[in-house]
Amino acid sequence: MKKTLLSLSNLTKQFDGKTVLDSLSLDIYDGEFITLLGPSGCGKTTLLRLMAGFEHPDAGTITLSGEDLTGTPPEHRPLNTVFQHYALFPHMSVFDNVAYGLKMEKRPKEEIRERVEEALAMVQLQDYMRRKPHQLSGGQQQRVAIARAVVKRPRLLLLDEPLSALDYKLRRTMQVELKRLQRELGITFVFVTHDQEEALSMSDRVVVLKDGLVQQLGTPREVYERPANLFTARFVGETNFFPGEVESIHDGTITVDVFGLKRTLRRPDFPVREGQSLHVLLRPEDIRVLDPADEQGVAGKIVERNYKGSTLDSVIHLEYGTEVLASEFFDEDDPAFDYRLGEPVKVSWVDGWEWLLPEEADESVNEDALTDA
Amino acid sequence: MTRWLPRAYLVLVYLLLYIPIGVLVVFSFNDSRSGYTWGGLSLRWYQSLFNNNAMVEAMWNSLWLALSAATVSTVIGALTALALHRYRFRGKKVLNGMLFVVMMSPEIVLAISLLALFLLVGIQLGYVSLLLAHVTFCLPFVVITVMARLSGFDESLPEAARDLGASDFTMTRTVLIPVIMPALLAGWLLGFTLSLDDVVVSTFVSGPSYEILPLRIYSMVRVGLKPEVNALGTLLLVFSLVMLMLSQWILTRSKR
Amino acid sequence: MPSITRQPFRTAVLVLVWGWLLFLVLAPNLLVVGASVMTRDPGTFISLPLNLDAYRQLFDPLYLEVFLHSLYMAAMTTLVCLLIGYPFAWALSKLGKQRQLLLIFLLIVPFWTNSLVRTYALKMLLATNGLINSSLMGLGWIDEPLQMLYTEGAVIIGLVYLLLPFMILPLYSVFDDLRQELLLASHDLGAGRFATFIHVIVPLTLPGVLAGVMLVLLPAMGLFFVPDILGGSRNLLVGNVIKNQFLDARNWPFGAAASIVLTITMAILMLAHRLSKQRIGEEGA
């Protein structure tokens, strides 16, 4: 049984009449790495700022281990923030930056020195104590920001897109390092990002947000493999959507017509009836590209090929007009593997790898939300 | 957080800044000579201003001086900015430093150094000495205005022009000058106003042969209250306002 | 780099600019330095031998008193400008961007208006039979007019009135650059409003304070027409002394020495400003 550390209930926040958070509730467990994921404007940063105390909710409460924090100013909350652009004090040395929070607690000098050195050692910056922030690289500044936040031993660390200003390689390194720090410190991390790859690789749980509402809350695997709705499916990773129609319903399975193929699929959790339209979702790596002579499959032709190192990504234009993205692992021994542009193929998948979602009333809006990200 | 307190404070400071100017303008239309009682609406001080030949001559002198000083300083200032921006040359830092020092140093220091120079070299105190002095203190402001514009524009434009066969001079004429035109106009207006308002430097380097407006005002306001000054001040205020709005308009329009 | 002959335009520009600055900036300043160590001469203004009499004269009790009084008035002017300008710039930076631009515009409108005229406007208000006195007497708050004109206070008010925008503009610029995130970070780390002000806001706005001090303190010692109009004969500035020495007493060495004192003050302030900027990682101007 997991212990709830921070509990958000029915948080509502409006800016200039626009609802940013809509009665949002969320329990954050002690010691977990939880990520708030969503496109820009989804309310993830506002949620973080409410936790930190930089904003106050219009309605709802925030409690930390049962203690009400809703009206507490940021300086009296036992949690700290790592800011997106680090927010290091430019006039102070690295040491003074990290020591700032402890000085505010009026700790003895000796203790401050020890704890600052310890925190800097943890991020491997003990040799840079006398430098000013502007004399450090972006990655080093990031580490100072983390050291400055964790030196106060907060119950909870809030990280606001802390890696977004770093280049790709440094990002990967810092992702691993953040995970390591979180394990070693045992502090709960609340991490905000719009990068789904980052969210999946780092988190214990992911909260997918859109328009101030939680779309899905689950482990990275749940979110990726069993998206709760079309938005999550589109936002997290690449997805192919095939239109399906329910032909017949059995115990535990249903028969669905997809592009004329009759497939017997696992019966979904939502209620189904005969003749109903639904979405059959397939990740590119679940798509099988077959020889045109093959009986099973939908006919189409290759219109694009991208060599990605470990995989070969192909775009297949189906005769039905839809385009399908397929991602296959390299098999150098297979002579048929390398397709030519325009080559006719058939597309299929292994039953059970698909995921079914019902049609949604307002499906067009989702596309706009995605382009923001 | 209380929002009205900072705002009320801002309003208070603006009131303090504008009340003296407002009183000046209102009393310029006062029929009475008094600076505190209202004697009815009148334009008599404006009339007496324009009936005063020495005053009108000083106005023309000032206007002519400001026009020429602004023009000369814009030409030299623009060339200096271009040189600083485009060329590498020895002593660039020294040049920059000298301009900065001119801008920062107290006017009176500049004034006496120029007076000393003119007297020792034998330049007659009058239009020429005033022009040289005014151009000198306007110069750094023009340079800064033009530099700001130059630093904001695409470095590859001049290179593209050269690549397409323009000579250094042709490129400057066909590419650089059009690009910095708004800054030139703004710099010119700034120089014009600085020259028109200057008291400190002019006090030192002007001679009896060429009386200019600020010095005329100076001699009037040293003793007692002169309602003509109210009228003159109002005219100058309107004039500066128009110039300032013109320069702002040019700068905002060019930012599109 | 192309040779000189291939760029006649470049050569012409550099010769013109250098010529102007050498003749009208460098030469005159060297002249002043030279004049300050020479001997006063009624005919040619200055003559040999070289000596430091002018600097010694600065410490003559009579002049020393004038200088100290001028310094005191300039310091008071700067202090008042800072006290008015600091919260002003802060409040200004909190407004919406569009409104900020309008208010900045309103702030520099008076600065573009002839400073003599503005000083004269103050004189109208402060005069014995001026608007303030007549209003107060009309309200019955005072029985006889207050002596406001020709006092030390009048000079300080006049200087503040003329120089306030020069304090506000650099302050506004540092407050505008002050990143909100830094204040949040300070609160996040446990600092209250006061601690944040002392440890974060003050050090980060220091370059603006010093720039403002530089732009106010020096003119506040040089604007000789302000005491001429508002201050009477007892409240003189260093500027008045320099002017009298050059134009009336014809004592160039002494006037030059006084102006060099001003220049040295400027150099010290510029150095302090540069250091304060380097401290927060911005390149010194």
Side-chain angles (χ1 to χ4, degrees):
Chain A
M1 187 64 193
K2 280 173 180 149
K3 206 175 101 218
T4 299
L5 178 65
L6 190 77
S7 176
L8 314 174
S9 65
N10 301 314
L11 287 182
T12 299
K13 181 74 185 170
Q14 295 191 331
F15 288 117
D16 302 321
K18 191 178 167 282
T19 302
V20 181
L21 291 179
D22 194 357
S23 191
L24 185 144
S25 297
L26 178 66
D27 282 343
I28 294 168
Y29 301 139
D30 201 2
E32 76 171 330
F33 193 124
I34 189 167
T35 298
L36 309 178
L37 173 70
S40 61
C42 71
K44 56 189 192 297
T45 297
T46 306
L47 192 58
L48 198 77
R49 289 167 65 88
L50 286 174
M51 294 187 216
F54 302 144
E55 306 278 356
H56 293 286
D58 299 332
T61 55
I62 302 171
T63 52
L64 184 82
S65 318
E67 185 195 346
D68 190 359
L69 272 189
T70 318
T72 313
E75 57 264 37
H76 295 133
R77 294 191 184 200
L79 36 86
N80 290 106
T81 309
V82 176
F83 290 84
Q84 187 173 7
H85 302 289
Y86 322 139
L88 297 180
F89 302 123
H91 57 296
M92 296 180 194
S93 66
V94 167
F95 181 92
D96 288 335
N97 260 288
V98 179
Y100 189 83
L102 298 176
K103 279 181 189 155
M104 290 303 134
E105 289 178 3
K106 305 223 163 30
R107 299 275 171 191
K109 271 219 164 68
E110 193 50 32
E111 184 193 337
I112 293 180
R113 201 181 53 77
E114 270 172 28
R115 281 173 65 177
V116 171
E117 282 173 0
E118 188 193 341
L120 284 172
M122 203 162 50
V123 294
Q124 288 130 40
L125 279 179
Q126 58 273 52
D127 299 334
Y128 293 83
M129 280 195 296
R130 296 284 143 225
R131 299 261 186 116
K132 289 285 179 69
H134 64 96
Q135 296 167 315
L136 301 179
S137 71
Q140 288 169 334
Q141 292 184 23
Q142 175 67 76
R143 288 159 200 258
V144 176
I146 293 166
R148 187 177 70 172
V150 299
V151 77
K152 294 200 46 155
R153 296 177 190 150
R155 307 282 302 275
L156 200 85
L157 192 67
L158 308 171
L159 302 105
D160 184 10
E161 307 218 18
L163 307 181
S164 63
L166 303 177
D167 64 43
Y168 182 75
K169 260 196 102 164
L170 202 49
R171 270 178 96 116
R172 300 311 300 245
T173 319
M174 286 305 296
Q175 285 174 8
V176 175
E177 195 141 323
L178 274 177
K179 271 306 280 186
R180 173 183 69 82
L181 266 174
Q182 196 254 343
R183 268 199 313 273
E184 283 175 10
L185 294 166
I187 297 176
T188 308
F189 274 33
V190 181
F191 188 89
V192 160
T193 185
H194 63 264
D195 181 339
Q196 41 99 7
E197 207 180 308
E198 199 167 273
L200 296 181
S201 65
M202 295 174 79
S203 328
D204 296 323
R205 286 197 302 161
V206 177
V207 185
V208 183
L209 283 169
K210 189 196 129 211
D211 299 337
L213 290 168
V214 174
Q215 304 292 312
Q216 188 165 4
L217 170 60
T219 64
R221 194 165 174 171
E222 281 166 354
V223 169
Y224 187 76
E225 292 186 354
R226 283 178 276 149
N229 54 29
L230 290 179
F231 173 79
T232 309
R234 285 199 172 106
F235 190 72
V236 181
E238 299 273 1
T239 310
N240 294 301
F241 295 84
F242 291 165
E245 195 182 303
V246 182
E247 297 237 305
S248 55
I249 303 173
H250 327 281
D251 277 351
T253 58
I254 53 175
T255 304
V256 180
D257 179 327
V258 183
F259 295 128
L261 299 175
K262 310 274 187 261
R263 304 291 293 253
T264 304
L265 308 175
R266 197 169 1 132
R267 185 174 174 166
D269 296 338
F270 55 89
V272 284
R273 54 185 165 71
E274 282 179 18
Q276 176 188 358
S277 297
L278 42 68
H279 294 282
V280 179
L281 276 61
L282 284 159
R283 297 292 184 186
E285 60 271 22
D286 296 335
I287 298 283
R288 288 283 159 270
V289 183
L290 306 171
D291 192 81
D294 213 290
E295 275 177 35
Q296 274 291 327
V298 190
K301 62 174 195 249
I302 304 275
V303 292
E304 215 176 286
R305 290 183 328 153
N306 286 312
Y307 173 69
K308 286 279 178 65
S310 56
T311 61
L312 182 72
D313 291 1
S314 323
V315 177
I316 299 129
H317 191 88
L318 298 185
E319 283 172 0
Y320 288 88
T322 324
E323 292 203 332
V324 177
L325 181 68
S327 180
E328 293 175 288
F329 278 98
F330 253 121
D331 183 358
E332 284 173 7
D333 299 332
D334 186 352
F337 181 76
D338 207 358
Y339 313 105
R340 278 168 290 113
L341 285 182
E343 189 176 331
V345 289
K346 274 195 172 168
V347 165
S348 183
W349 75 93
V350 178
D351 285 347
W353 288 6
E354 78 291 326
W355 180 247
L356 299 176
L357 283 176
E359 287 202 313
E360 289 173 21
D362 195 15
E363 292 189 358
S364 59
V365 179
N366 286 325
E367 289 294 340
D368 295 340
L370 282 177
T371 46
D372 277 352
Chain B
M1 216 166 82
T2 48
R3 294 181 81 176
W4 63 268
L5 192 69
R7 287 177 188 208
Y9 179 71
L10 289 176
V11 171
L12 179 73
V13 173
Y14 277 106
L15 278 180
L16 290 178
L17 279 179
Y18 276 89
I19 282 177
I21 295 174
V23 169
L24 178 94
V25 172
V26 169
F27 276 83
S28 76
F29 299 105
N30 186 5
D31 196 43
S32 152
R33 175 165 276 283
S34 153
Y36 57 98
T37 49
W38 186 249
L41 207 60
S42 152
L43 289 177
R44 62 183 278 210
W45 307 118
Y46 290 87
Q47 257 169 351
S48 83
L49 201 62
F50 288 104
N51 287 335
N52 183 337
N53 284 334
M55 177 67 85
V56 173
E57 198 196 322
M59 272 189 219
W60 284 118
N61 282 345
S62 262
L63 212 56
W64 175 240
L65 175 65
L67 280 171
S68 43
T71 309
V72 175
S73 59
T74 303
V75 172
I76 300 181
L79 292 175
T80 310
L82 286 174
L84 284 172
H85 183 72
R86 297 193 32 229
Y87 301 142
R88 273 165 217 244
F89 53 88
R90 230 179 275 184
K92 192 167 174 172
K93 280 201 163 159
V94 180
L95 192 77
N96 248 325
M98 272 161 91
L99 287 167
F100 187 66
V101 166
V102 175
M103 202 164 58
M104 293 307 299
S105 63
E107 279 175 287
I108 191 149
V109 174
L110 184 73
I112 58 157
S113 67
L114 287 171
L115 174 68
L117 179 80
F118 295 150
L119 289 183
L120 289 184
V121 174
I123 294 175
Q124 179 99 53
L125 292 183
Y127 174 70
V128 175
S129 63
L130 280 167
L131 180 67
L132 288 174
H134 282 211
V135 170
T136 303
F137 71 69
C138 290
L139 203 57
F141 293 95
V142 177
V143 174
I144 286 204
T145 314
V146 177
M147 284 285 270
R149 176 82 184 171
L150 280 174
S151 67
F153 103 114
D154 188 355
E155 287 292 336
S156 56
L157 282 185
E159 283 166 10
R162 297 300 293 273
D163 183 59
L164 295 169
S167 70
D168 195 27
F169 178 73
T170 317
M171 186 279 292
T172 304
R173 192 170 53 82
T174 54
V175 177
L176 280 183
I177 303 278
V179 165
I180 61 173
M181 204 56 193
L184 291 185
L185 284 171
W188 188 90
L189 284 168
L190 187 61
F192 184 85
T193 319
L194 285 173
S195 164
L196 204 60
D197 285 351
D198 174 71
V199 185
V200 175
V201 175
S202 304
T203 305
F204 282 82
V205 298
S206 72
S209 63
Y210 201 82
E211 196 183 23
I212 55 171
L213 199 58
L215 298 186
R216 178 102 207 136
I217 302 175
Y218 191 23
S219 63
M220 286 169 77
V221 297
R222 286 175 94 155
V223 278
L225 298 175
K226 301 259 174 22
E228 289 95 341
V229 177
N230 291 22
L232 186 61
T234 306
L235 290 179
L236 284 174
L237 178 71
V238 172
F239 192 72
S240 306
L241 210 58
V242 170
M243 298 294 271
L244 184 56
M245 277 154 91
L246 212 58
S247 76
Q248 290 283 327
W249 181 70
I250 290 168
L251 281 179
T252 22
R253 210 179 52 130
S254 69
K255 278 199 184 126
R256 281 182 311 187
Chain C
M1 188 178 280
S3 69
I4 289 173
T5 45
R6 276 178 49 205
Q7 289 192 321
F9 178 62
R10 173 194 138 116
T11 314
V13 169
L14 287 182
V15 165
L16 175 69
V17 170
W18 273 115
W20 192 282
L21 289 176
L22 291 181
F23 180 62
L24 286 153
V25 177
L26 191 64
N29 278 302
L30 291 178
L31 212 56
V32 170
V33 175
S36 75
V37 292
M38 289 173 87
T39 310
R40 177 185 178 186
D41 187 303
T44 56
F45 301 112
I46 40 174
S47 64
L48 291 171
L50 301 178
N51 59 66
L52 290 175
D53 284 354
Y55 291 94
R56 227 164 278 137
Q57 206 181 342
L58 290 173
F59 294 97
D60 179 319
L62 183 70
Y63 288 111
L64 197 61
E65 197 184 328
V66 172
F67 286 151
L68 289 179
H69 188 52
S70 171
L71 188 64
Y72 164 77
M73 287 192 291
M76 283 304 287
T77 302
T78 312
L79 188 67
V80 173
C81 282
L82 187 62
L83 289 179
I84 297 176
Y86 199 83
F88 184 92
W90 196 349
L92 191 61
S93 73
K94 295 244 177 213
L95 298 175
K97 200 79 214 158
Q98 208 59 33
R99 204 173 285 186
Q100 280 182 27
L101 289 177
L102 177 72
L103 290 185
I104 287 289
F105 179 78
L106 285 178
L107 191 71
I108 54 178
V109 167
F111 153 70
W112 279 55
T113 314
N114 195 298
S115 42
L116 277 175
V117 171
R118 279 186 292 147
T119 314
Y120 171 77
L122 276 183
K123 187 177 188 174
M124 278 175 63
L125 290 175
L126 297 175
T128 314
N129 52 4
L131 208 61
I132 295 180
N133 268 323
S134 56
S135 310
L136 289 177
M137 292 207 311
L139 288 167
W141 290 3
I142 52 171
D143 296 327
E144 52 188 71
L146 300 170
Q147 177 63 43
M148 288 182 287
L149 211 52
Y150 309 124
T151 61
E152 184 185 285
V155 175
I156 293 172
I157 289 174
L159 290 171
V160 169
Y161 188 52
L162 294 183
L163 298 171
L164 185 61
F166 294 95
M167 178 63 86
I168 290 176
L169 290 175
L171 283 174
Y172 164 71
S173 152
V174 286
F175 272 113
D176 198 41
D177 286 347
L178 189 64
R179 282 164 49 211
Q180 209 55 34
E181 242 189 11
L182 293 177
L183 309 188
L184 293 182
S186 173
H187 288 303
D188 188 67
L189 294 167
R193 276 166 178 241
F194 183 70
T196 301
F197 179 72
I198 296 296
H199 295 296
V200 181
I201 297 178
V202 168
L204 287 179
T205 51
L206 195 62
V209 172
L210 287 171
V213 167
M214 190 156 69
L215 291 173
V216 170
L217 189 71
L218 290 168
M221 291 197 276
L223 290 177
F224 54 79
F225 58 85
V226 176
D228 263 5
I229 299 172
L230 299 171
S233 55
R234 273 172 295 121
N235 301 297
L236 297 178
L237 303 183
V238 179
N240 295 77
V241 175
I242 296 175
K243 177 174 164 256
N244 293 341
Q245 293 304 318
F246 260 83
L247 295 184
D248 305 328
R250 302 273 164 184
N251 187 348
W252 280 25
F254 183 54
S259 98
I260 283 170
V261 171
L262 276 189
T263 310
I264 290 171
T265 317
M266 174 187 79
I268 293 170
L269 286 172
M270 271 164 59
L271 197 68
H273 177 242
R274 206 189 164 93
L275 289 177
S276 77
K277 282 189 103 166
Q278 275 169 358
R279 214 165 88 88
I280 60 168
E282 284 176 40
E283 220 189 317

